[in-house]
């Protein structure tokens, strides 16, 4: 199976930052399982992932071109930078908005490796840098998150529980509340080219006027490894909120 595949699983690192845009399709993080133990590897490794993504629901469509860079500072420490050079929100009832999106910086530390009886443990910290060029694409303020990830592999099956606590920068007249989120995910590698995954995720209310949300998502990914360092991929997913997504990209590792 291709390394870093679960980087693209839809964990909630990105979702905790989009509560203020709940009426529109929301993008999950580019490196969605980047904090997981599976993706903290050999010191000095770089991974670059570029992708295009489309999400659709009853309220509209959303397009994005995304890129990320992972650097393995050591066997236990990883730095991840995620940027959205172009994003377009296209709600049916309002005018479309396009521009540069926000940028996420995440530092992850492998606190404990998986043992016979115990799961792996990764601790992380993330900051969302407000680089969005349109106020509809971001809050205009920095957000800060603390991450706690438990993971376990059993053959081709990988299980992860990720929790995050996020404090939002305040802007405008709506006060954003500190937010707790979680994702429980399972991924199974059918073969070297195909994997399937499912997730249960939720988050507390982002404002006093909204309630907490919970949903589930299922998807599949096709990988086409060109070499040990180059791997194009294509994925499809659908969640219980009737949000469908298609993503295609290419990953370089060296």
């Amino acid at each position: 199976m291709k390394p870093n595949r679960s980087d693209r699983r839809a964990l909630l690192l990105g979702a905790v930052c989009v509560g203020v845009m709940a009426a529109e399709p929301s993008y999950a993080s580019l490196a969605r399982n980047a904090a997981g133990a599976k993706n903290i590897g050999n010191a000095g490794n770089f991974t670059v992932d570029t992708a295009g993504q489309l999400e659709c629901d009853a309220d509209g469509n959303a397009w994005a071109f995304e890129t990320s860079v992972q650097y393995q500072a050591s066997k236990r420490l990883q730095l991840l930078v995620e940027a959205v050079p172009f994003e377009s929100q296209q709600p049916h009832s309002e005018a479309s908005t396009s521009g540069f999106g926000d940028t996420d910086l995440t530092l992850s530390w492998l606190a404990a490796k998986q043992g016979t009886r115990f799961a792996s443990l990764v601790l992380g910290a993330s900051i969302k840098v407000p680089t969005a060029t349109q106020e509809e694409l971001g809050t205009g303020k920095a957000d800060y998150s603390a991450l706690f990830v438990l993971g376990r592999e059993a053959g081709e099956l990988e299980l992860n529980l990720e929790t995050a606590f996020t404090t939002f920068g305040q802007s405008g007249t709506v006060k954003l509340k500190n937010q707790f989120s979680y994702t429980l995910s399972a991924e199974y590698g059918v073969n070297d080219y195909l994997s399937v995954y499912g997730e249960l995720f939720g988050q507390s209310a982002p404002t006093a006027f909204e309630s907490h949300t919970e949903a589930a998502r299922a998807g599949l990914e096709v990988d086409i490894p060109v070499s040990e360092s180059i791997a194009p991929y294509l994925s499809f997913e659908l969640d219980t909120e009737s949000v469908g997504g298609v993503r295609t990209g290419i990953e370089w590792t060296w």
Side-chain angles (χ1 to χ4, degrees), residues 60-177:
N61 304 324
W63 297 83
F65 174 74
E66 306 167 325
T67 187
S68 76
V69 178
Q70 282 183 185
Y71 173 63
Q72 305 294 156
S74 72
K75 291 183 178 180
R76 290 181 177 265
L77 191 64
Q78 177 198 89
L79 175 64
L80 169 70
V81 180
E82 302 168 274
V84 185
F86 178 78
E87 180 177 353
S88 178
Q89 300 284 349
Q90 301 173 344
H92 297 318
S93 58
E94 301 176 16
S96 298
T97 301
S98 301
F100 199 101
D102 287 328
T103 301
D104 290 302
L105 307 177
T106 303
L107 190 65
S108 302
W109 175 57
L110 178 59
K113 296 182 179 181
Q114 176 177 311
T116 304
R117 297 183 178 181
F118 303 101
S120 61
L121 170 62
V122 174
L123 304 177
S126 176
I127 178 173
K128 185 210 74 177
V129 182
T131 54
T133 54
Q134 301 292 334
E135 63 180 15
E136 292 85 357
L137 303 179
T139 61
K141 300 290 183 178
D143 302 333
Y144 303 90
S145 299
L147 305 173
F148 180 93
V149 186
L150 291 173
R152 191 164 187 86
E153 294 183 56
E156 296 302 319
L157 178 65
E158 180 185 0
L159 302 175
N160 280 286
L161 172 62
E162 178 174 333
T163 60
F165 180 80
T166 300
T167 178
F168 294 98
Q170 302 298 322
S171 62
T173 58
V174 179
K175 181 175 176 57
L176 301 176
K177 299 167 59 177

Side-chain angles (χ1 to χ4, degrees), residues 181-205:
S181 60
Y182 74 90
T183 299
L184 177 62
S185 67
E187 176 190 356
Y188 181 74
V190 179
N191 53 44
D192 289 343
Y193 307 99
L194 176 66
S195 61
V196 294
Y197 56 95
E199 299 167 338
L200 176 65
F201 56 93
Q203 59 188 23
S204 61

Side-chain angles (χ1 to χ4, degrees), residues 2-5 7-8 30-32 34 39 44-52 65-72 78-83 85 223 227-233 247-254:
K2 178 171 64 68
N4 294 312
R5 176 181 303 173
D7 278 4
R8 298 183 295 275
L30 174 61
R32 303 180 190 183
N39 300 303
N45 280 6
F46 275 95
T47 299
V48 177
D49 190 346
T50 59
F65 174 74
E66 306 167 325
T67 187
S68 76
V69 178
Q70 282 183 185
Y71 173 63
Q72 305 294 156
Q78 177 198 89
L79 175 64
L80 169 70
V81 180
E82 302 168 274
D223 295 282
S227 67
E228 292 184 358
S229 60
I230 302 176
Y233 61 89
R247 183 182 185 85
T248 184
I250 186 169
E251 188 178 84
W252 293 267
T253 302
W254 68 93

